[in-house]
Amino acid sequence: MKKVILTGDRPTGRLHVGHYAGSLKERVKLQNSGEYDDIYIMIADAQALTDNAEHPEKVRQNILQVALDYLACGIDPNKSTIFVQSMIPELTELTFYYMNLVTVSRVQRNPTVKAEIQMRNFEASIPVGFFCYPISQAADITAFRATAVPVGEDQLPMLEQCKEIVHKFNSVYGETLTEPQIILPSNKACLRLPGIDGKAKMSKSLGNCIYLAEEPEDIKKKVMSMFTDPNHLRVEDPGKVEGNPVFIYLDAFCRDEHFAEFWNDYSCLDELKAHYQRGGLGDVKVKKFLNNVMQEELRPIRERRKEWENHLPDVLDILKEGSKVAKETAAKTLEDVRHSMRIDYFTDNNLLK
């Protein structure tokens, strides 16, 4: 069996370091590992419209923004197929068939759906398209016969639901669909990066993000305003590193060589943590170090992005070509699905057989 990756993002805004730590960095690593036969990276504009139906221009404007972030992070169009979801109508048809295999109560129990509904204040009136997006996501994954899906921890319930749909389809219609496996970041701190305000999740809608394309002065301003241990009021007070956003970010991005370059009072992060925990180390110093780490991490991304911004027609061509390749793959899967369901009536006059 071919080893295939499918992953993607909703184009509702520029991508931030939560996307980068939680999934993008891992995608680039997997892309360059040479272990996978095909890699598909989807700009999920149709899914974005499920809660932006009245603002399609917002989605439209961010398609290129997300593509630029992908290219800036190191996604290589020669190794990965970048495509736009709505350009693949086969995904919609697959979603329609899968809907018959899932109950309303099962979707309602999905923890990710529950959290997203609450965050968007949809409790009273949920758009049907938004409610069904776990089924749409299953269509996206199975259309490309993905064996691996690198995502953040919050998407784990979605993958479980996708597996259920695969099992149900295969048990009813015969072995047709491929069951995917989730790939979580190896660094546990990257599973779910908190917002700079200390809230559980970094989110564009909450305004607590550091964007990949941020200018240096904006990164510094945000880092220096970050939430820390609320009980660490004086320098001499012992500080808590568990649940402290500044140290979570350091866990995600800091390497030993950063200390040699930016803070040679320490040789590694464990030494810094130990000093903070016993007291005598102020938050401002730690934030200044984190700022240096983040600047080092984001500088090459920002520079590559600016280079691609000068070649937008080339970016558009990458999306066009990627969508063409993706459509061919999805069409073959849809053909197999229709055959398994015995609804390929006109193929070889099957309706007469």
Side-chain angles (χ1 to χ4, degrees):
M1 181 188 291
K2 292 174 72 174
K3 295 181 72 175
V4 181
I5 284 176
L6 183 281
T7 187
D9 299 277
R10 290 157 45 97
T12 53
R14 294 172 297 157
L15 302 184
H16 52 65
V17 294
H19 295 114
Y20 181 64
S23 179
L24 274 172
K25 200 172 184 180
E26 190 72 22
R27 291 178 206 176
V28 174
K29 180 181 173 184
L30 294 170
Q31 167 195 267
N32 295 332
S33 70
E35 295 179 15
Y36 292 88
D37 299 292
D38 296 307
I39 299 172
Y40 295 93
I41 301 180
M42 179 178 74
I43 300 178
D45 64 319
Q47 195 180 106
L49 285 169
T50 61
D51 59 328
N52 289 279
E54 297 177 3
H55 308 286
E57 191 60 29
K58 173 186 175 184
V59 176
R60 173 190 171 88
Q61 289 173 351
N62 282 302
I63 287 174
L64 279 177
Q65 296 303 316
V66 171
L68 286 167
D69 284 333
Y70 283 164
L71 296 166
C73 286
I75 297 297
D76 184 347
N78 293 314
K79 298 178 181 178
S80 299
T81 300
I82 307 172
F83 69 97
V84 180
Q85 183 185 26
S86 65
M87 297 295 100
I88 320 299
E90 290 80 2
L91 301 178
T92 308
E93 187 171 344
L94 286 172
T95 300
F96 187 73
Y97 298 144
Y98 295 171
M99 283 179 180
N100 301 318
L101 306 177
V102 184
T103 64
V104 171
S105 61
R106 176 61 186 93
V107 177
Q108 287 175 324
R109 292 197 306 273
N110 187 308
T112 303
V113 173
K114 283 183 179 178
E116 296 281 354
I117 286 172
Q118 187 175 24
M119 188 174 80
R120 289 169 171 79
N121 297 316
F122 278 166
E123 290 95 335
S125 181
I126 308 167
V128 174
F130 184 84
F131 184 73
C132 293
Y133 90 84
I135 305 169
S136 167
Q137 198 169 78
D140 299 333
I141 293 166
T142 57
F144 301 98
R145 303 195 180 281
T147 56
V149 183
V151 293
E153 184 185 37
D154 60 325
Q155 292 297 307
L156 188 54
M158 308 295 278
L159 265 292
E160 292 303 321
Q161 190 143 23
C162 176
K163 288 183 178 184
E164 290 175 19
I165 290 171
V166 169
H167 289 160
K168 180 73 171 177
F169 189 98
N170 289 346
S171 65
V172 173
Y173 301 113
E175 291 294 321
T176 308
L177 302 178
T178 303
E179 181 176 320
Q181 299 299 320
I182 191 170
I183 299 179
L184 295 172
S186 52
N187 183 341
K188 299 301 179 187
C190 296
L191 288 176
R192 188 177 297 192
L193 212 59
I196 59 174
D197 55 0
K199 290 184 178 174
K201 184 179 179 181
M202 180 175 289
S203 167
K204 289 168 276 196
S205 60
L206 296 175
N208 59 0
C209 307
I210 297 175
Y211 292 101
L212 295 175
E214 298 258 33
E215 292 297 329
E217 57 271 19
D218 295 319
I219 296 170
K220 182 178 181 180
K221 184 178 178 180
K222 289 184 176 182
V223 169
M224 298 308 291
S225 71
M226 281 180 71
F227 183 87
T228 57
D229 176 4
N231 297 314
H232 188 240
L233 302 176
R234 298 172 299 175
V235 171
E236 58 268 24
D237 291 338
K240 185 179 177 183
V241 298
E242 297 81 9
N244 184 328
V246 171
F247 281 94
I248 294 173
Y249 278 53
L250 286 172
D251 279 326
F253 296 107
C254 179
R255 301 186 299 274
D256 288 350
E257 52 263 36
H258 286 136
F259 287 96
E261 187 172 356
F262 302 123
W263 205 356
N264 57 19
D265 292 350
Y266 309 94
S267 62
C268 63
L269 186 54
D270 285 341
E271 285 186 12
L272 176 61
K273 286 182 177 179
H275 190 177
Y276 189 80
Q277 287 172 315
R278 67 176 178 263
L281 180 60
D283 288 320
V284 171
K285 284 187 175 181
V286 182
K287 287 180 181 180
K288 285 182 176 178
F289 175 62
L290 174 60
N291 175 58
N292 285 327
V293 170
M294 297 304 295
Q295 299 286 1
E296 185 78 6
E297 187 79 26
L298 297 179
R299 183 183 302 110
I301 294 174
R302 184 174 58 249
E303 289 174 353
R304 282 194 296 267
R305 196 182 200 279
K306 287 181 176 177
E307 288 176 14
W308 278 107
E309 284 172 350
N310 293 323
H311 299 88
L312 290 181
D314 293 340
V315 178
L316 182 60
D317 285 343
I318 288 168
L319 296 180
K320 283 182 181 178
E321 183 58 32
S323 297
K324 179 182 176 184
V325 171
K327 191 177 189 308
E328 291 172 359
T329 304
K332 179 64 176 72
T333 301
L334 178 59
E335 182 183 327
D336 293 343
V337 163
R338 289 174 63 87
H339 182 72
S340 295
M341 294 175 70
R342 295 180 60 81
I343 59 173
D344 55 342
Y345 308 125
F346 302 146
T347 303
D348 298 326
N349 291 329
N350 281 338
L351 191 58
L352 300 176
K353 297 176 184 177

